[in-house]
Amino acid sequence: MRGAMRGMIVRRVLQSAPLLVLISVLVFALLQAVPGGPLAAYLENPNVRPQDIERLRAAMGLDRPLAAQYVSWLSAFVRGDWGYSFADGRPVLDRVLERVPATLELVGASTVLALCVALPVGVLASVHRLFDRVTSLVAVAGISLPVFWFGLLLQLVFAITLGWLPSSGRASFGANSLADRIAHLVLPVVVLAAVQAAAWSRYLRRAMRETIGRPFMNAARVRGVSERGVLWHHALPNALGPFITVVLLDAAMMASGAVVTESVFAWPGVGSLFTESLVKRDYPVLMAFLMCGAMAVMVLNLLADIAVRSIDPRTRGAA
């Protein structure tokens, strides 16, 4: 089993390498096609001379052909040199790494909360018809909620009107207590977890219903296993395989897609860094963000396959 798992991992890594190169080419070309570029602010300033613009263009390496710029960026990126930010001149890797803990904190807490809601709701909705109808309505509402609007609504109610929770930031100025950090975490976590919990509960409910209708479930009942045992010890492990795949892939999407939530709540994570870099057309930071997002999706997809082979009785030990 270990040899088969190791072989699968090696194959997936080898398959991912050319895909990452293709993604980097497409992302690089799309960013270069955006009108204006990083020198747009200087071009609109009448006090900046054309000679200064040319010096800036040469200093940033923007005067070289696009193919040469891409090859230079790719070779440096593979070596761990992600370049320097056009906005403040700092190393891109440093700027990304200082924002990663905040994003991991937000996404991790949101994932845990969404799982705590989705698992029991999905299992119970698969067997209780009335509970299923109620949760279906709630889930549809949760999936349909615009994240930006929902975040502003929670700020208006719980931060401004009631004053129970802070409206933005990761911590209060001058405060470093755990209670203060948790208070700042509550609203963005609820916003980010709401949509995921709704979608995951629906997915688990469907997977559970498909599993419950299979012949081996009747065989378990014939052996005298209680309905609760059949549900939690036989149906759930078989339904968890595809469910874990969805959760891990969505976790990667949450990390790269938390841009709106971080912007609404001024959360100092990677998502807000992307927004700032997009406004300033900071190409090196944008490239690093998008490539990290692509790599995160591939890594979590691999972890999902490993988890499915380890948990799902039908695929355990498969090559």
Side-chain angles (χ1 to χ4, degrees):
M1 178 178 176
R2 291 182 178 178
M5 186 74 73
R6 191 180 300 113
M8 185 270 291
I9 294 174
V10 171
R11 287 196 303 272
R12 294 294 296 275
V13 171
L14 293 177
Q15 292 169 359
S16 299
L19 182 57
L20 281 173
V21 173
L22 177 60
I23 290 174
S24 68
V25 172
L26 294 176
V27 170
F28 189 87
L30 288 173
L31 288 178
Q32 296 295 330
V34 175
L39 298 179
Y42 301 101
L43 294 173
E44 297 171 359
N45 190 338
N47 297 321
V48 178
R49 300 176 300 173
Q51 301 92 318
D52 299 328
I53 296 294
E54 291 304 317
R55 278 197 294 270
L56 285 171
R57 195 182 302 276
M60 293 180 176
L62 301 176
D63 58 336
R64 297 179 298 164
L66 289 182
Q69 292 184 42
Y70 171 75
V71 171
S72 176
W73 171 85
L74 181 62
S75 60
F77 187 83
V78 171
R79 297 194 307 269
D81 179 9
W82 293 6
Y84 295 88
S85 169
F86 288 165
D88 58 9
R90 295 176 56 204
V92 172
L93 186 58
D94 292 347
R95 294 200 66 190
V96 172
L97 289 179
E98 71 183 12
R99 299 291 191 102
V100 166
T103 295
L104 290 180
E105 179 183 332
L106 176 61
V107 173
S110 302
T111 302
V112 171
L113 177 61
L115 285 174
C116 290
V117 174
L119 280 171
V121 168
V123 172
L124 295 176
S126 66
V127 292
H128 297 292
R129 190 163 294 182
L130 179 59
F131 184 76
D132 179 36
R133 290 177 180 175
V134 174
T135 54
S136 294
L137 293 175
V138 176
V140 170
I143 295 173
S144 305
L145 280 177
V147 174
F148 184 82
W149 176 85
F150 187 43
L152 292 178
L153 178 64
L154 292 184
Q155 283 180 327
L156 179 63
V157 175
F158 294 100
I160 298 176
T161 304
L162 299 176
W164 291 354
L165 296 167
S167 61
S168 61
R170 194 181 180 195
S172 300
F173 181 75
N176 196 26
S177 64
L178 180 61
D180 180 72
R181 296 286 290 272
I182 293 176
H184 282 80
L185 194 61
V186 170
L187 291 183
V189 163
V190 170
V191 169
L192 202 55
V195 176
Q196 297 303 330
W200 291 349
S201 64
R202 293 293 87 193
Y203 188 89
L204 181 59
R205 168 230 183 224
R206 184 169 61 251
M208 287 287 294
R209 286 199 167 181
E210 291 176 357
T211 304
I212 290 173
R214 290 178 178 171
F216 73 90
M217 298 295 294
N218 293 327
R221 294 186 182 96
V222 170
R223 292 197 305 270
V225 180
S226 66
E227 283 299 322
R228 178 174 296 183
V230 167
L231 187 65
W232 293 96
H233 299 295
H234 292 270
L236 183 58
N238 284 274
L240 277 181
F243 177 73
I244 289 175
T245 303
V246 172
V247 169
L248 288 175
L249 291 178
D250 282 351
M253 298 301 180
M254 287 171 67
S256 59
V259 176
V260 176
T261 303
E262 291 189 2
S263 300
V264 170
F265 293 97
W267 189 263
V270 179
S272 59
L273 175 63
F274 176 79
T275 304
E276 298 166 9
S277 302
L278 192 61
V279 171
K280 298 176 182 178
R281 295 179 175 87
D282 196 345
Y283 290 166
V285 177
L286 293 174
M287 282 294 298
F289 175 87
L290 295 171
M291 290 305 298
C292 286
M295 289 188 290
V297 170
M298 292 182 180
V299 169
L300 288 175
N301 192 18
L302 176 60
L303 292 178
D305 284 348
I306 294 173
V308 169
R309 293 170 189 271
S310 302
I311 294 174
D312 194 337
R314 295 166 295 178
T315 59
R316 192 175 297 158

